[in-house]
Amino acid sequence: MTDHSILRPALPELPFQAEARLITRVLKAIFIGLPRSLANAVRAQQMYENLYLLDSPGLAALGLKREEIGRYVIEQTGLVTRKSE
């Protein structure tokens, strides 16, 4: 069977198609990106508070010092990736 799809002309641009794409990107940022970012921030805050409540032996069991909690939380939540050494 022969493929005749190359003989069909491409669909023309619809009116306001570029504007519709822009609105779609804005709505995705507001309704998907923003809630996801807020959820990550809440998760990071909860993790930080839970680790901060641990005593020094508890932190040492995790291999952390008190001043490293912030860096550890940021790395674990995926906000910043650690460079390989």
Side-chain angles (χ1 to χ4, degrees), residues 7 10 12-13 15-18 31 35 39 46-47 63 65 74:
L7 301 177
E13 286 281 321
F16 304 109
Q17 187 169 353
F31 292 107
Q46 290 171 344
M47 185 184 294
K65 296 178 185 173
I74 288 173

Side-chain angles (χ1 to χ4, degrees), residues 64-78:
L64 291 173
K65 296 178 185 173
R66 189 153 307 276
E67 60 271 5
E68 297 173 343
I69 293 175
R71 179 191 51 81
Y72 177 78
V73 168
I74 288 173
E75 289 176 356
Q76 291 300 310
T77 55

Side-chain angles (χ1 to χ4, degrees), residues 11-55:
L11 292 175
E13 286 281 321
L14 297 174
F16 304 109
Q17 187 169 353
E19 292 84 354
R21 287 185 179 134
L22 174 65
I23 292 171
T24 300
R25 286 194 308 267
V26 168
L27 291 176
K28 279 184 180 179
I30 292 172
F31 292 107
I32 295 173
L34 184 61
R36 195 175 289 161
S37 297
L38 289 175
N40 286 342
V42 168
R43 189 172 56 244
Q45 177 194 11
Q46 290 171 344
M47 185 184 294
Y48 181 85
E49 288 175 356
N50 290 336
L51 288 172
Y52 193 78
L53 291 175
L54 289 176
D55 57 355

